[in-house]
Amino acid sequence: YPEEGHFKVWALWTANAAESSASAIPETLNDNYVEYINGGEFVKKKDPNSWGGVTPYYWPTTGSLFFAGYSPAMNSDNFDYSWETKTFTATNYVQDTDITKTNDLMWFDVTNQSYNNNNNSITEGGTTIPVNGVPVKFQHALSWLTFNVKRIDEAEISNWKIKSAKLFKIETMSTFTATASSKTWTTPTTPQEITVFEADGLALEKTDINLAREYKGNGDVIVIPQSCSFTNKDTYDAALVIEYYLKIPASSEETPEYIPQSVTLSLEHGTDGKAWEIGKHYIYNITFGGNEILISPTVTDWTKPDVNQNIQVQ
């Protein structure tokens, strides 16, 4: 976990030391269920090599704790967790259009952990204190996009130079709600433009070039899950527009002449073909050369072998 990636935590204390199921938490909290930590920020600790509160929190001497939290630590006014409904909410979450400032929003909650009463312990002031460990698992709330470009063969090295690659009609503010049975983003607001790459001219290689990494040293374009259905270059929910220079056939290698070109690419994929999904990684492999634009997409989970969509600009 990155040292700069602080996260925030809620903790619920219950007087029942034998409690082992989140389903036992009542819909209306009582004196036996008290919020112990309210959005406390956790940071990397130097000694021991672990994570803890900016202001230390201590294990209670009686009862049990349940946890929920999110990463990275952001304005807590927009984030909340309901113990009664076991719901995590990120209200009016904003994803910056600058790809170096976007976040990988993750969360964990009480429905995605298991109480572990195995009598682990810590030592403080010479006294050994039992600690009940609670394993938790962060889940990705957003969609991850990667855009790779290359040329077909060695003979075509100077035919194209990429000027820019921009995502259009990208929703950048929405509200995320997650429960044990559903994870949803509400209908977002005004679409924005995101620059994936921009330069005087990027010469294409025979192997993939990650445009975002080439542009900003950051290979991650992380967006709010949203529709990416496509009818044509003028009718789409979200699309990638690539501007490039095409070498005039009559020009020479010594004095090449280029004309500006633009292509709008569909970003539909191979599952439902309509939307980027929560916790998925989409890789778009764009190859320049030939006569036809072809797409062959696949989709997998964020943490498994990647989603691939092959596009030929020909």
Side-chain angles (χ1 to χ4, degrees), residues 8-12 66-70 81 83 108-110 113 136:
K8 290 198 175 183
V9 170
W10 297 275
L12 182 72
F66 288 106
F67 293 91
Y70 69 93
Y81 188 79
W83 295 106
F108 69 87
D109 69 359
V110 71
Q113 64 187 241
V136 299

Side-chain angles (χ1 to χ4, degrees), residues 200-277:
D200 292 335
L202 172 67
L204 296 177
E205 302 291 339
K206 197 172 180 179
T207 56
D208 287 329
I209 299 174
N210 184 314
L211 286 176
R213 186 170 291 124
E214 186 74 19
Y215 178 47
K216 292 286 189 179
N218 183 343
D220 297 334
V221 180
I222 302 176
V223 299
I224 293 172
Q226 58 199 265
S227 178
C228 57
S229 62
F230 189 99
T231 301
N232 56 53
K233 68 182 182 65
D234 299 313
T235 307
Y236 56 85
D237 291 309
L240 181 73
V241 176
I242 296 182
E243 293 182 322
Y244 61 99
Y245 297 113
L246 178 64
K247 182 182 175 183
I248 298 174
S251 63
S252 68
E253 294 294 335
E254 292 76 20
T255 57
E257 295 182 54
Y258 291 92
I259 54 175
Q261 297 287 307
S262 177
V263 59
T264 302
L265 300 177
S266 166
L267 298 175
E268 290 183 336
H269 49 79
T271 53
D272 61 8
K274 297 298 181 184
W276 292 315
E277 301 174 52

